[in-house]
Structures are given as structure tokens and as C-alpha cells.
Amino acid sequence: MVKILPYSRQGLPAGRKYCYGIACMVALSLAGCAVTPEPFTQHENSQRASDLLERYTADQEPVTAPIDLYTAMARAIKYNLDYRVELMETAARLQQLDVSRYDMLPRIVGSLNYNGRSNDAGSVSQSLLTGKTSLEPSTSSERESLAGDLTLSWDVLDFGLSYVRAKQKADEVLQAEENKRRVVQRIVEDVRSAYWRAASAERLMARTQQLEERTQQALDMAQRQKANHLTSPMAALSYQRELLSIRQQLQQLTRELKVSKQQLAALMNLPPDTEYSIVVPARDLAWESLNMSYDDMLHLAVMNRPELHEVAYKLRSNEMEGTAVLLQTLPSLRLFAGANWSNDDFLYNSDWASWGAKASWNLLNVFRIPAEQQRIEAGGELLDARAQALTMAVATQVSVSRARYALRRKELETAQRYLTVQSSIEHQIEAGYRAESVSRQTWIREQMNTVVAEAKLDVALADLQSAYANVYTSMGIDAVDASMSADESVAELAGDLRHLWAGRGDALALAGDL
């Protein structure tokens, strides 16, 4: 028996007519969804650049006084952008942890469904025994209907998985905290090194400029004496070579010192063109030798280093992954209950309550367990190998930091003795010049040698300060206390830092930055 489809007024079968309309709608939708790359315009790039330049140093306390070491540290902790990024990374991880906790709650889903059709949804019944139609066409639903429901459901397996994932998110928060610790340790170490170099440059700048003029005068005088045959050419040339050699040493020593002020400004997030001065500390600071054995320092380092903490948290998270894999292979049990409503007049009860339970189990997941366990074991072995490699690196860093600190102390002592001897020589030459028994050129030469000795002492002192900070960094000791906060004012935070480092024996903190 062949069914003949009714024809529409246009002559097409009704079914084909609807299919043709749907096809047209799909084609129009696909045409409207076409996306082409749209680069930023020059105006948009200019606006974005202006916005970034306006905000990257905004909301900072102005510099109103010379900056000492602990003020520089405080400004770096409050305003350094690398540290801000780590703070925001930790905050973002905390937000992800808060969101993951909601996955453990039951789900309450409300829905509203509208259905409509162009004709009645009628049907007939056919006898399975005789094949005869037993009823006239009839319908049990309206052409248009509106229905809604509110269903509470809870999957026991999803709850277990969500709990494990939340624990892993919590470990990610702790990993972000360790990254933040590592960044602030590096920043404080860099600030200490840049500050001392900048202070040395500021101490030497005035005297170097004054002496540069005298040196040029002495060179010009030696050149005139040679040209006028007032001295032998070899003596004049040897004197010029000696002066130029000393000047070259001084320029090499001060070259790195001078850029340190810009480096310090960058660490404090000050605009590069900011004019500021530095509190110049005294040189005569007493530095003690380390009072800890290598074994104690190494144990402290392996216990405290942020890198090893991060690997430990990853190992714990990897172990929890085994629990998650096991849960994924278990049967799922879903419990639900809901309230339902419909405006269909054919329904005898237009509102009702429903409840039930559904269990499902993907049996093929069982075969994934060995492969998943091997993956987890391989990940654990990789992390353990990384921890051992980091331990070796930490041991090397602790040993190097100890040796470097001891070496820098000896270099500082030598530089101090050298400056003392050179200052005595300069005083003797100056007395001879005053008595007119020594030439002015000789006095200028010794003045330059004294400035070079001072520059060498400042470089040795800056290197010792850097080595001192590196000792604490190598042991993983925090540069700031947990009670300190970037929300404090610069003055409050600087006072807290000075008190903290004074307790650790920092000579500058004990001396009160004098």
C-alpha cells in the first residue's frame, strides 16, 4: 500500500516544502557565522598604548625623600610588576578553588519548554493480530504546549571526582604561593645588589667629575710640555699612558655602577625618568663569617626551597590522580527528584512530582586502569627524578653561596687595606706637593689612584651584599615575614623589613642605615 503525500498550493509535497525551508535557514545561518580576521586599527593600538603607559606606574606613593635599602625593598614588594603578577596568579588559583567547590553540590536545574507544530499530532492503532485499524485518528496533545520542571539531582560518582579535583586545585594554589615566594626572594636579592651599586655610584660621582677635570688638565699640561720640549718625550708619554690607564680602570669600574640606579628604579617600578636620590651607607660595616655548617644549611635549603615545595605538591597531586582514575571506573549512581508542570489540556494531571534513580557503568573503563596507572607512575617517577635533580642543584647553590660569601669577605678586607694604604700614599704626596717637592701631576695621579681604590672597595662591598642575600636565597629563607603585607605603607613595610633583617644580623640594619 503506497501513501500519497498531500500537495501544497505551490505544487510541492508538504514534507519537501518544510525541508526546503529548513535548508534555507541553515544556509543563511552558516553564511552569517562566517568570521574573518580583524586586526586592531592604528587608533586602537594607540589608545591601548596610552592606557598601558598611564596605568603601569599608577597609584604609587611619591618619592619625597632619599631612598634607603629597606625603603627600596618595600617599594619593590609593593609595586614591582613581576611580583604583582604572582599575587594575581595566586588570587586566580584561589578563585578556581572556590569555583571547584560548587561541583560537589547537588544540581538544581529548572527548564521551560515550548513546543508547537503546524497540525495535530494524531495517530491510529493497528491490531497486531489482524492488521486492521482499530481506532479513528486521534490526538492526545495540543498543537502548542508550554511545560516546565525543577529537578534536583545528585551523582555520587561526580561528588567523589569533584572532591579529588578540588584537592588538586588546592595544591595548585600552594604551588602558586611557592612561585610567589621564589619571585620575591629574587626581587629582594636584586634590589640589595642594585642598591649598593647605585649608592657606590652616587658616592663616587661628585668626586669623579671633579677629578676628571683635573686629569684632563694634567694630560693637556703633559702634552704641552712634550710639545715645548720641557721634558723628554718618553717621560711625557709614559705619564700620559699612566693617567689614561688609571682613567680607563675608573671608567670600567663606574660603568656598571652608574646603570644600577636605573635598574633599581625598574625594580621599584619607578618611571625611568624619575629623579631620586639614595641614602649612601657607610663603608665601615662589620661582616661576620657564617655560623652555620654546610650540612645544616643544606638541610634547611632542601626543607625550605620553593622549587622543591612545588615539586612535592605536584607529587601529592599526582598521587590523588590515581584515586580519580579509580573513581572514574566505578558505576555511576544518579539520584533525582523534581516538580513538573504543563498547560496541555489533554493531560489529566497538569502538575506532578517525579523521582527516581539511575545507575550506569561503562565497562570499557575497567580496561583503562592499567594504562592509567602506568601513566600516573611514570609521572610520579618523573617528578621524583626532578626533585632529586633539584636537590643536587640546591646543594651546589648552597656550597657556591658559602664559598662566594667567604671570598667576597676576603676581597672586601683586601680592598679596605688597599684603600687605607693608597690614602696614606696620597696624603704623603699631597704634603710633598704643598712643600713644593712633588709635582702637581704626581698628586693628581695619586688622587686618581685613590678614587680607583674607593671604586674597587665599593664594588667589593656591593658584591658582598649580593653574596649575603644569595646565602639566604640559596637556603630558601623568605626575604619577607608572613605577617608583612603589600597593603602596608612604604614606611611601615620598610620598618618591618629593617627589623626582620636586623634580627638576621644584617650589618646595615644593625647600623640603622648610617
Side-chain angles (χ1 to χ4, degrees):
M1 179 177 176
V2 179
K3 272 190 175 181
I4 305 296
L5 293 173
Y7 280 81
S8 65
R9 294 178 181 177
Q10 289 79 12
L12 289 174
R16 293 182 183 178
K17 172 185 173 183
Y18 297 139
C19 290
Y20 178 75
I22 292 173
C24 290
M25 291 177 63
V26 171
L28 289 173
S29 299
L30 291 175
C33 292
V35 178
T36 56
E38 294 184 9
F40 288 118
T41 64
Q42 196 70 12
H43 178 67
E44 290 173 331
N45 285 330
S46 177
Q47 284 186 325
R48 178 175 52 82
S50 299
D51 177 65
L52 288 173
L53 290 172
E54 182 180 352
R55 290 189 296 115
Y56 85 109
T57 56
D59 302 325
Q60 296 185 178
E61 294 183 31
V63 178
T64 58
I67 295 177
D68 61 25
L69 174 60
Y70 298 101
T71 302
M73 287 184 182
R75 283 189 167 273
I77 292 170
K78 280 183 67 68
Y79 304 126
N80 185 274
L81 295 181
D82 289 339
Y83 185 55
R84 282 190 184 182
V85 169
E86 294 302 325
L87 287 174
M88 293 179 181
E89 176 71 19
T90 303
R93 296 289 185 183
L94 282 171
Q95 292 297 328
Q96 292 176 6
L97 176 59
D98 290 339
V99 171
S100 66
R101 290 169 179 162
Y102 288 98
D103 293 337
M104 293 184 285
L105 299 176
R107 297 180 181 180
I108 302 178
V109 179
S111 61
L112 188 65
N113 300 317
Y114 169 78
N115 290 298
R117 54 179 297 148
S118 60
N119 50 27
D120 293 318
S123 62
V124 296
S125 296
Q126 187 180 46
S127 173
L128 296 176
L129 298 177
T130 63
K132 295 181 179 180
T133 301
S134 59
L135 291 175
E136 295 179 353
S138 61
T139 183
S140 60
S141 62
E142 295 186 89
R143 291 189 179 185
E144 297 182 355
S145 65
L146 184 66
D149 65 81
L150 185 65
T151 304
L152 171 68
S153 63
W154 190 58
D155 194 309
V156 178
L157 182 58
D158 284 348
F159 169 78
L161 281 172
S162 299
Y163 177 77
V164 173
R165 298 305 182 199
K167 295 285 287 183
Q168 291 176 322
K169 292 290 184 184
D171 279 344
E172 290 179 6
V173 172
L174 296 174
Q175 292 171 35
E177 286 285 351
E178 296 304 323
N179 281 329
K180 185 177 72 174
R181 285 183 59 217
R182 181 168 62 247
V183 168
V184 75
Q185 288 173 2
R186 176 183 58 80
I187 289 173
V188 169
E189 181 179 352
D190 291 345
V191 165
R192 183 179 287 271
S193 177
Y195 171 82
W196 275 94
R197 291 179 178 275
S200 300
E202 196 149 314
R203 181 190 286 115
L204 294 173
M205 189 175 299
R207 187 170 181 186
T208 302
Q209 290 176 350
Q210 182 182 12
L211 191 58
E212 184 70 21
E213 297 175 0
R214 295 182 184 178
T215 304
Q216 190 60 46
Q217 293 174 1
L219 288 170
D220 294 340
M221 183 179 295
Q223 184 65 26
R224 287 194 301 269
Q225 289 177 346
K226 174 178 175 296
N228 296 330
H229 305 287
L230 299 176
T231 184
S232 66
M234 192 62 190
L237 290 173
S238 297
Y239 178 74
Q240 292 181 60
R241 182 182 65 181
E242 189 173 358
L243 280 184
L244 290 172
S245 176
I246 298 172
R247 175 193 276 181
Q248 189 177 36
Q249 291 183 50
L250 185 60
Q251 289 174 345
Q252 291 174 348
L253 289 169
T254 58
R255 180 180 56 205
E256 295 182 2
L257 297 178
K258 287 182 178 180
V259 300
S260 298
K261 194 169 183 179
Q262 285 72 33
Q263 294 172 347
L264 181 61
L267 289 167
M268 295 187 295
N269 200 40
L270 291 177
D273 58 347
T274 301
E275 294 292 336
Y276 72 98
S277 60
I278 295 174
V279 176
V280 180
R283 289 191 181 116
D284 55 343
L285 299 175
W287 289 91
E288 302 294 335
S289 60
L290 297 176
N291 56 5
M292 291 182 65
S293 67
Y294 170 74
D295 291 337
D296 291 339
M297 290 180 63
L298 179 58
H299 185 269
L300 194 62
V302 176
M303 184 174 64
N304 288 331
R305 283 290 289 266
E307 300 91 332
L308 289 169
H309 283 189
E310 185 179 356
V311 173
Y313 289 129
K314 287 181 178 179
L315 272 168
R316 189 168 69 179
S317 181
N318 186 72
E319 292 172 358
M320 286 189 287
E321 186 67 21
T323 303
V325 168
L326 181 61
L327 288 173
Q328 287 175 339
T329 61
L330 297 178
S332 173
L333 177 61
R334 180 173 174 268
L335 309 174
F336 64 89
N340 305 267
W341 167 85
S342 176
N343 70 344
D344 192 340
D345 291 337
F346 285 93
L347 293 176
Y348 181 75
N349 292 309
S350 59
D351 55 86
W352 67 97
S354 61
W355 58 86
K358 181 180 179 181
S360 61
W361 191 11
N362 185 353
L363 298 178
L364 293 180
N365 281 340
V366 176
F367 298 101
R368 296 178 54 182
I369 294 179
E372 293 284 1
Q373 287 179 339
Q374 290 177 0
R375 175 182 66 85
I376 295 169
E377 289 176 2
E381 291 173 358
L382 173 62
L383 290 170
D384 183 65
R386 185 173 298 170
Q388 294 181 40
L390 283 172
T391 302
M392 182 62 193
V394 167
T396 303
Q397 290 170 9
V398 170
S399 177
V400 169
S401 68
R402 281 177 57 87
R404 182 185 173 200
Y405 180 77
L407 179 63
R408 296 305 187 195
R409 283 186 68 242
K410 291 181 179 179
E411 290 178 355
L412 180 63
E413 291 173 0
T414 302
Q416 286 174 328
R417 293 187 63 183
Y418 182 86
L419 177 59
T420 301
V421 172
Q422 177 56 38
S423 297
S424 299
I425 292 174
E426 183 192 347
H427 291 153
Q428 293 292 328
I429 296 297
E430 182 181 3
Y433 171 71
R434 301 297 181 192
E436 298 183 354
S437 61
V438 176
S439 67
R440 177 181 176 84
Q441 290 90 334
T442 303
W443 182 36
I444 292 175
R445 181 187 63 195
E446 294 307 324
Q447 284 181 313
M448 288 187 65
N449 280 326
T450 301
V451 175
V452 169
E454 290 179 355
K456 288 181 178 179
L457 176 61
D458 283 329
V459 169
L461 187 56
D463 289 340
L464 179 60
Q465 286 282 346
S466 178
Y468 175 76
N470 186 252
V471 168
Y472 280 89
T473 301
S474 68
M475 291 189 293
I477 297 176
D478 289 330
V480 298
D481 192 78
S483 61
M484 300 178 192
S485 171
D487 296 331
E488 294 180 89
S489 68
V490 171
E492 292 172 341
L493 188 54
D496 293 341
L497 287 167
R498 183 178 289 104
H499 178 73
L500 172 67
W501 284 92
R504 294 175 176 177
D506 186 355
L508 186 59
L510 292 171
D513 280 351
L514 299 177

